Amino acid sequence: LGISPEKFSEIVQEYYTQNPKVVIQKLPAYASETPFISEQERDAALKKHAELRFASVALVGAPNAGKSTLLNTLVRQQVSAVSRKRNTTIRKVIGSITQENRQLVLFDTPGLLGTHSPEHLAMGWGAAEEAHECLLVMDAAVSNRERLTVQENLAVEVVKRRQEVLGRSTILVLSKTDRALSELSAYSQRVLHATGLADFKAVFTVSALKNHGIDQLRQYLLSQAAPGEWLMRSDIPSGDAPIDAVHDAIREQLFERIHDELPFVTKVHNVGWTELPNGELRIDEEIRVPESRQIHIIMGRECNVIARIQKHAQQKIEALLNRKIKLVLTVKGSDF
């Protein structure tokens, strides 16, 4: 090799220091648990503020109305999967905002219409009927008459159900106004029409992508918090179990980088959750496709697709879990 034995030994030692041999561990119980606030943190918060205030907030609406992007912008962190495909959200995603003595726990739900299963639809309606506050999110940029009618009928139904079940009003949020404003006259008419659909508690026009109207909506929701104990830890924006956050991050990248319907039938399964000697957390995930012949689609030429999925998912997971992560992905056919 042209180097001294001492130098070779040094190189080998450095390699094993950076790449320690580890025994892959199974998923621990805490990784599947919701990060509820501890008694110690709650007591410390009460000692600091004397009174705590709390509100649960459901984000509901038709598929692709902008609920997930709105949630991410409200909590100032990407906690909910977003992609160009419809129906990306398939479970109730939790985000939290803690400011001074007030805490909001927000639920992003699957669309109340579309191709979701009865279980997913029930999840959305359950959140709408149980939360202290409900944001009915409508896409202000929709011009198609059929989609407009669907949104309008859904708005009336949500307001009716909340009034009947809880005796509470609904907040209307018109989203994607950055796109709608290109046709100002038509947009103004849609806003006037939407606000007249039902007796809304409040109406907000927002653009999550441009951050227009978000601060006003966030402060309004915080002002609605009533005396009550906090539910979630105050130091992280996601109220999801760590493993759910991991799987959402990977699924988001699959939706973003794989075309057609393959992401909808692809499963993500944890095979390892290991604390490394250097303080990092190694997470091993197996991506399962229906047929082995589809593996190359996920892998890409010279593994370029799976490398991008791994890189961007790892970055998001590190931000959500607030620690260094080593994400290891493998792809397997369910028929193999």
Side-chain angles (χ1 to χ4, degrees):
L1 295 177
I3 58 176
S4 66
E6 293 79 12
K7 183 63 175 177
F8 178 76
S9 177
E10 181 182 330
I11 293 173
V12 171
Q13 184 61 42
E14 182 180 357
Y15 173 83
Y16 281 115
T17 300
Q18 295 178 353
N19 301 273
K21 184 178 180 180
V22 296
V23 177
I24 302 302
Q25 302 295 317
K26 293 182 179 179
L27 188 72
Y30 81 84
S32 300
E33 297 173 350
T34 301
F36 292 117
I37 189 172
S38 66
E39 290 186 13
Q40 292 85 349
E41 183 180 356
R42 184 181 291 113
D43 291 344
L46 276 170
K47 184 177 180 180
K48 179 179 180 180
H49 298 293
E51 178 189 67
L52 300 182
R53 302 180 77 88
F54 176 84
S56 57
V57 183
L59 282 72
V60 302
N64 208 37
K67 301 181 295 296
S68 297
T69 304
L70 177 60
L71 172 63
N72 293 336
T73 312
L74 283 170
V75 303
R76 298 187 177 95
Q77 180 65 269
Q78 190 171 349
V79 298
S80 191
V82 177
S83 84
R84 293 165 290 181
K85 293 184 174 67
R86 293 163 62 88
N87 298 325
T88 305
T89 304
I90 61 171
R91 65 180 184 84
K92 186 162 60 177
V93 179
I94 306 172
S96 65
I97 302 171
T98 304
Q99 185 172 304
E100 297 298 330
N101 68 327
R102 299 168 187 267
Q103 184 177 86
L104 303 175
V105 172
L106 304 95
F107 301 95
D108 177 21
T109 63
L112 295 179
L113 300 166
T115 59
H116 288 303
S117 68
E119 178 184 358
H120 292 147
L121 293 175
M123 194 184 304
W125 282 111
E129 295 171 359
E130 295 170 6
H132 298 122
E133 303 293 341
C134 179
L135 302 183
L136 173 65
V137 184
M138 294 180 65
D139 185 349
V142 169
S143 56
N144 178 273
R145 185 64 254 177
E146 183 177 350
R147 287 190 63 194
L148 277 172
T149 301
V150 167
Q151 285 198 136
E152 292 166 2
N153 291 341
L154 182 60
V156 173
E157 182 66 17
V158 169
V159 171
K160 177 183 176 183
R161 286 204 193 187
R162 276 186 57 82
Q163 194 61 48
E164 290 178 350
V165 175
L166 295 175
R168 288 178 175 159
S169 301
T170 301
I171 301 166
L172 174 63
V173 178
L174 294 165
S175 67
K176 305 182 183 181
T177 56
D178 55 298
R179 292 167 52 189
L181 285 172
S182 60
E183 300 178 5
L184 186 57
S185 178
Y187 165 69
S188 299
Q189 292 178 4
R190 285 199 290 272
V191 171
L192 287 173
H193 182 69
T195 56
L197 291 172
D199 185 16
F200 294 106
K201 179 179 181 179
V203 178
F204 290 86
T205 57
V206 305
S207 167
L209 289 178
K210 301 293 185 180
N211 205 32
H212 294 161
I214 298 299
D215 289 341
Q216 293 88 335
L217 176 58
R218 185 188 300 111
Q219 291 307 313
Y220 175 80
L221 292 172
L222 286 166
S223 73
Q224 300 304 297
E229 292 189 348
W230 290 354
L231 184 64
M232 299 296 176
R233 288 172 50 183
S234 62
D235 60 332
I236 56 176
S238 174
D240 288 323
I243 191 59
D244 289 335
V246 169
H247 287 168
D248 274 358
I250 298 171
R251 284 187 67 255
E252 178 184 52
Q253 289 303 311
L254 287 169
F255 272 96
E256 188 66 27
R257 302 180 188 282
I258 306 299
H259 300 299
D260 302 321
E261 299 301 308
L262 186 55
F264 292 99
V265 294
T266 298
K267 308 296 182 183
V268 183
H269 177 71
N270 178 264
V271 292
W273 191 279
T274 310
E275 295 288 347
L276 299 178
N278 62 2
E280 293 184 0
L281 171 63
R282 170 170 169 158
I283 302 175
D284 289 76
E285 294 289 332
E286 191 173 81
I287 300 173
R288 298 176 180 176
V289 292
E291 300 177 26
S292 298
R293 62 182 179 85
Q294 297 167 322
I295 291 176
H296 77 279
I297 300 175
I298 306 292
M299 298 300 294
R301 182 177 298 178
E302 298 182 352
C303 299
N304 63 331
V305 175
I306 192 68
R308 291 193 187 98
I309 291 172
Q310 183 275 336
K311 176 183 177 181
H312 293 283
Q314 178 172 296
Q315 289 174 347
K316 179 176 178 180
I317 295 166
E318 287 182 335
L320 289 174
L321 301 188
N322 196 27
R323 63 177 301 185
K324 291 291 291 182
I325 299 295
K326 181 178 179 64
L327 179 64
V328 179
L329 300 178
T330 55
V331 187
K332 179 180 179 181
S334 298
D335 60 345
F336 186 68

